[in-house]
Amino acid sequence: MHIDPPQGIPMLKLEEAAKKYPDTIFIFGHANAYNSPENIRSLLSEHPNVYVDFFAGFTAFNPSSAYKLEDFVPIIKEFPDRFLLSTDSGYGLTSEENAIQAMYMLLDALDDPELINKIAFGNIERLISEQPATHSQLAAIRQLENKTGKKYDITNLSKEDASKLLLQAGQPLPGTADE
């Protein structure tokens, strides 16, 4: 979800959706842009299914930012599994290089190797790997079972594992041009 500025009806709708669909993960894109650490803390405290995409470049280099990277460190440490790091391709900055530099500045400010790994890549990898297989993937696996007579355990199958299974069997992935 990209909400800019993070206030008013769009924020109310995000909170409404987060409450109505507790099993859905919502990633609030660039949540720190024009937003305070306190607002983010409140949102994350109330909604365990909301995650923050953190655009460090905005906070570090955009003159519109009222905060410093260090202002967000306590909230990141409070919710270490719910932050993702991004560049927004340097939007609103003089260059994408500044956005990338700001990511490293934030990681340095965290000063915790385990937390750095989570924010830099671990949290997004976990979110991706935990996604359940789609209905179309499961249908393709059932077709494969009917075709080959082989049975696959599809209970708790992740989207990633379903794709690997189909590729190993030489089947096109659902939603691709080869389907």
Side-chain angles (χ1 to χ4, degrees):
M1 314 269 320
H2 194 275
I3 302 171
D4 188 8
Q7 59 192 4
I9 298 290
M11 286 301 299
L12 293 174
K13 291 296 183 182
L14 171 60
E15 292 198 61
E16 181 182 309
K19 284 179 188 171
K20 188 172 182 177
Y21 302 100
D23 294 331
T24 299
I25 292 173
F26 294 88
I27 300 174
F28 182 0
H30 320 313
N32 58 302
Y34 305 105
N35 207 353
S36 71
E38 295 77 26
N39 287 345
I40 293 172
R41 176 179 283 116
S42 176
L43 182 68
L44 295 177
S45 294
E46 291 182 39
H47 307 286
N49 56 335
V50 173
Y51 288 67
V52 169
D53 164 284
F54 194 88
F55 175 23
F58 177 86
T59 299
F61 295 118
N62 190 310
S64 299
S65 177
Y67 301 95
K68 297 177 182 169
L69 292 173
E70 292 76 15
D71 297 331
F72 289 94
V73 168
I75 181 102
I76 294 170
K77 288 184 176 186
E78 187 176 341
F79 298 95
D81 297 326
R82 311 246 307 274
F83 275 82
L84 316 169
L85 197 52
S86 73
T87 65
D88 199 15
S89 298
Y91 182 82
L93 305 180
T94 57
S95 71
E96 187 173 8
E97 287 78 20
N98 282 348
I100 294 167
Q101 178 186 355
M103 290 184 354
Y104 286 106
M105 291 166 58
L106 176 65
L107 296 175
D108 287 344
L110 294 174
D111 194 33
D112 176 338
E114 184 179 335
L115 181 57
I116 289 168
N117 287 339
K118 282 183 177 188
I119 304 305
F121 62 88
N123 289 339
I124 191 65
E125 283 183 349
R126 179 179 44 79
L127 287 175
I128 291 169
S129 70
E130 291 176 354
Q131 292 297 302
T134 66
H135 294 294
S136 58
Q137 286 176 315
L138 295 174
I141 291 168
R142 287 187 198 98
Q143 286 178 348
L144 178 63
E145 287 176 334
N146 291 337
K147 183 176 167 183
T148 64
K150 185 175 179 181
K151 285 289 186 192
Y152 297 96
D153 181 9
I154 59 172
T155 55
N156 300 318
L157 191 64
S158 72
K159 185 186 277 188
E160 181 180 19
D161 289 336
S163 292
K164 286 178 184 177
L165 187 152
L166 290 167
L167 287 171
Q168 287 172 352
Q171 298 298 303
L173 296 179
T176 65
D178 294 336
E179 181 180 24

